[in-house]
Amino acid sequence: MAVANHTPVTVVGLGLMGQALAGAFLKAGHATTVWNRSSDKAAGLVGEGATLASSLKEAVEASPLIVLCVTDYDVVRSLLDSVSGDLAGKTLVNLTSGHSEGARETAEWVLEHGAQYLDGAIMAIPPVIGTEHATLLYGGSKEAYDAHESALKALGGATHLGTDYQLASLYDVALLGIMWGVLNSFLHGAALVGTAGVDASTFAPFANNWIGAVTNFVSAYAGQIDQGDFTAHDATIDTHLATMIHLIHESKAKGISSELPEFVKAVTDRAVAAGEGKSSYAAMFEQFKNAAK
């Protein structure tokens, strides 16, 4: 992926994802310095042209753009504490998975030490980093993002969500929740049709087609949520509930786990008890917005 601005970059943390990030920067033509507590993980990257820093201090000093991808925010802070006097004027991009509190606290600390900060989320697996199939989300300084956008796009599709430092982390976990919801539902469905001797591979195309159709509901329900209008235009919550009962019955009758549909029914029962039975399924949003009591 060609970029116009070949800003030197330092990548701190060389797990599978860190190695993929550094490799993408190298492929895009960026002078790339790498550092990891275990230097042996840098061997392949050095062979591709990366410079292995002998210390974290040397790594930070090498580039104006520092990308971190380590275990968690505690590790981020322990590493940055050791080079706090070398951060002024740098831009730190933290692609470590974490939580919104960590993002805000790290941003405050970085700003106090004279650097700019972006907190990011990688919605991709290492093999697709640097391709159109990778999506990375960023929250924080718009100035920092604009200055380094071309470099960040070497990693894949890049989106700046806004200046709130917690946004990337919130999007990350929210999107992962959707992933697990879809995957768990597919696995439950595969187990159900599997009782009739249907292979998961045979079932998968039907699942994918239906998942695609469900995206239309997502778009429609998003509008209802934003407008606060839960008029049922397709089916009421009562109608959905009746079908959930069929799914639970079928699961039990076929001897597979009914935990997932029973959980969904429990939440739906709360919505009905709250008087939303005749509303759009979008009204279930209220059950997720408020903590269960």
Side-chain angles (χ1 to χ4, degrees), residues 54 170 218 289:
S54 60
L170 288 176
V218 170
K289 184 178 72 172

Side-chain angles (χ1 to χ4, degrees), residues 38-79:
S38 302
S39 60
D40 57 300
K41 291 186 177 181
L45 293 166
V46 171
E48 295 173 15
T51 299
L52 175 62
S54 60
S55 66
L56 180 56
K57 178 180 175 63
E58 181 181 315
V60 169
E61 291 175 343
S63 312
L65 180 62
I66 316 297
V67 176
L68 299 101
C69 186
V70 294
T71 307
D72 55 37
Y73 280 71
D74 289 338
V75 174
V76 169
R77 284 296 300 275
S78 68
L79 292 173

Side-chain angles (χ1 to χ4, degrees), residues 200-218:
S201 296
T202 300
F203 177 60
F206 294 91
N208 282 328
N209 285 339
W210 184 236
I211 290 168
V214 170
T215 61
N216 294 321
F217 291 106
V218 170

Side-chain angles (χ1 to χ4, degrees), residues 239-262:
T239 300
H240 281 278
L241 178 59
T243 309
M244 292 172 195
I245 293 171
H246 298 326
L247 178 57
I248 292 170
H249 172 85
E250 198 70 72
S251 299
K252 290 180 176 178
K254 296 300 184 182
I256 72 165
S257 172
S258 61
E259 292 173 285
L260 182 58
E262 284 182 336

Side-chain angles (χ1 to χ4, degrees), residues 73 98-101 103-104 119-121 123 137 139 161 164-178:
Y73 280 71
H99 46 74
S100 58
E101 291 178 20
R104 289 195 303 269
D119 199 86
M123 311 309 299
L137 309 175
L161 300 170
D164 188 337
Y165 292 101
Q166 70 174 337
L167 284 175
S169 180
L170 288 176
Y171 269 69
D172 184 22
V173 294
L175 291 170
L176 288 174
I178 292 173

